[in-house]
Amino acid sequence: MPRNVHFIIGASGQLGTEFALALHQAGEQVVLSDIKPPELDSLKDLPFECMDVRDADAVANRMAQHGTTHVHHLAAALSARGEKEPQWAWDLNMRGLLNVLEASADSKKIAKVFWPSSIAVFGPKNGPVAEQNGHRIPETVYGISKQAGEQWCAWFRQHRGLDVRSVRYPGLIGELSPPGGGTTDYAVEVFDHLDGPTPYSCFLSKDTVLPMMHMEDAVGAMMQIMSAPQGRILNSESYNIQGLSFDPETLFAEIQQHVPGFEAVFAPDFRQSIADGWPDELNDSAAREDWGWTAKVGIQDLVQRMIVSKRQSIPFPNEG
Ligand code: AKB
């Protein structure tokens, strides 16, 4: 039987790095693509295409050249940067997605496409718990692009017969790769300030609860929804998936269990109003019922993994 060929767009980004590694370690044939090469040593020998997803011809040609069967389109401008550069973010997120959907629908070989949506599709009117089909009037460029993207995916499914699958990711936290330009980034960047000379300055208020998820679960969700039988994908839009929910104060208290000297101050900036529009948690019962989704990593485990990994890579001053 011919092997599947996984083409990962945005493979040098936060989610792409972890997903590419997981697929490679599972023995799958992987082709990486991004505007910059991968930084992780274990990915440097894999086939890499330097490609801007906004270039429609490049997307179609490169995917075809590699005999792609599965596309994972993970390149996007996130919420905070999107508010600073709205036109660029809209162009990258929408033109990129349409190029991928169009090329995939035209291809005779591509069996499935994965594209991530986000908690950003929910707006302030939604309330603290976002239901699967909850109120979606996003107030950020990023959120609007994700909401429109969900509808484009549904259109390609219905009108072009494309098997495109999607989940709504919360803030993602992992050891291997930093995020860039998101509102949930504090929960990753704090681990680079564990023993700094000054307290970590958090850009959200201490009681801002947001949905979050460890990368192991984020990658697991992608693998799980992509391998589910087509008949189990019953929802026409992206699926809510819930990992864990916490506020900065709770995360920092957990860090202090391991690093007693860790200190933080709170200096909310423009990202506070983005976070205030997002839900505290997601009702993910549809994903659980339809394709068996369940998250594994809790806050204690997450903090421990992040600290262990940082301490392996950085010599901390108080460790002699
Ligand atoms: C962001 O903060 O913009 C992203 C997201 C929640 O989609 N991490």
Side-chain angles (χ1 to χ4, degrees):
M1 216 170 86
R3 288 183 74 193
N4 291 333
V5 178
H6 298 267
F7 195 93
I8 305 177
I9 302 168
S12 305
Q14 191 200 14
L15 179 57
T17 299
E18 304 252 5
F19 183 61
L21 187 66
L23 272 185
H24 175 54
Q25 287 174 339
E28 294 288 337
Q29 196 170 329
V30 178
V31 180
L32 312 179
S33 103
D34 206 306
I35 51 169
K36 58 180 194 303
E39 282 182 17
L40 211 61
D41 281 344
S42 31
L43 296 179
K44 285 189 175 149
D45 292 335
L46 297 181
F48 173 73
E49 290 289 356
C50 187
M51 184 188 88
D52 185 337
V53 73
R54 291 169 296 181
D55 179 343
D57 289 341
V59 171
N61 293 337
R62 307 276 164 77
M63 294 199 311
Q65 276 156 16
H66 288 276
T68 301
T69 60
H70 291 62
V71 184
H72 311 270
H73 171 32
L74 312 179
L78 299 186
S79 56
R81 186 151 175 222
E83 293 308 284
K84 298 276 182 202
E85 295 174 81
Q87 302 229 5
W88 166 79
W90 181 258
D91 189 42
L92 173 59
N93 292 1
M94 295 320 300
R95 192 138 61 101
L97 175 61
L98 287 174
N99 287 345
V100 170
L101 293 174
E102 199 70 59
S104 304
D106 285 347
S107 154
K108 304 239 172 332
K109 280 206 85 167
I110 293 172
K112 288 179 204 169
V113 177
F114 178 84
W115 172 79
S117 184
S118 162
I119 56 168
V121 295
F122 296 105
K125 293 207 179 68
N126 189 77
V129 181
E131 299 300 327
Q132 175 60 46
N133 295 314
H135 205 289
R136 273 160 289 153
I137 306 202
E139 290 190 351
T140 59
V141 175
Y142 174 66
I144 301 167
S145 77
K146 288 295 182 187
Q147 194 201 20
E150 286 195 17
Q151 280 160 0
W152 271 115
C153 290
W155 188 90
F156 271 83
R157 237 178 261 128
Q158 195 182 344
H159 296 284
R160 304 283 306 272
L162 186 65
D163 185 354
V164 47
R165 303 177 180 201
S166 179
V167 298
R168 292 180 185 139
Y169 279 123
L172 302 181
I173 303 167
E175 293 90 323
L176 294 184
S177 184
T183 302
T184 56
D185 292 8
Y186 87 87
V188 183
E189 72 176 32
V190 62
F191 291 97
D192 288 322
H193 295 81
L194 294 177
D195 296 286
T198 51
Y200 170 63
S201 180
C202 179
F203 57 76
L204 297 182
S205 67
K206 62 184 180 179
D207 56 354
T208 306
V209 178
L210 286 171
M212 301 280 185
M213 181 175 286
H214 187 264
M215 275 294 178
E216 182 183 318
D217 284 328
V219 169
M222 208 190 301
M223 301 257 197
Q224 220 180 333
I225 194 170
M226 286 299 269
S227 57
Q230 198 172 9
R232 299 307 314 160
I233 309 299
L234 305 174
N235 203 53
S236 64
E237 294 164 335
S238 287
Y239 277 92
N240 278 2
I241 51 169
Q242 167 72 13
L244 58 163
S245 291
F246 55 75
D247 58 22
E249 193 173 38
T250 306
L251 178 67
F252 300 163
E254 190 58 41
I255 291 174
Q256 275 159 349
Q257 300 287 320
H258 302 262
V259 187
F262 170 76
E263 283 182 277
V265 291
F266 299 91
D269 66 14
F270 74 100
R271 288 168 279 195
Q272 184 64 46
S273 67
I274 301 178
D276 288 343
W278 290 352
D280 295 0
E281 62 180 285
L282 307 184
N283 179 342
D284 62 1
S285 51
R288 290 168 180 276
E289 282 159 27
D290 291 357
W291 43 274
W293 158 250
T294 170
K296 296 191 182 78
V297 183
I299 188 164
Q300 290 172 348
D301 194 7
L302 179 149
V303 167
Q304 193 162 351
R305 289 183 196 203
M306 291 299 288
I307 291 177
V308 166
S309 127
K310 292 293 170 192
R311 296 222 142 146
Q312 274 163 357
S313 53
I314 307 164
F316 285 97
N318 59 1
E319 285 186 336

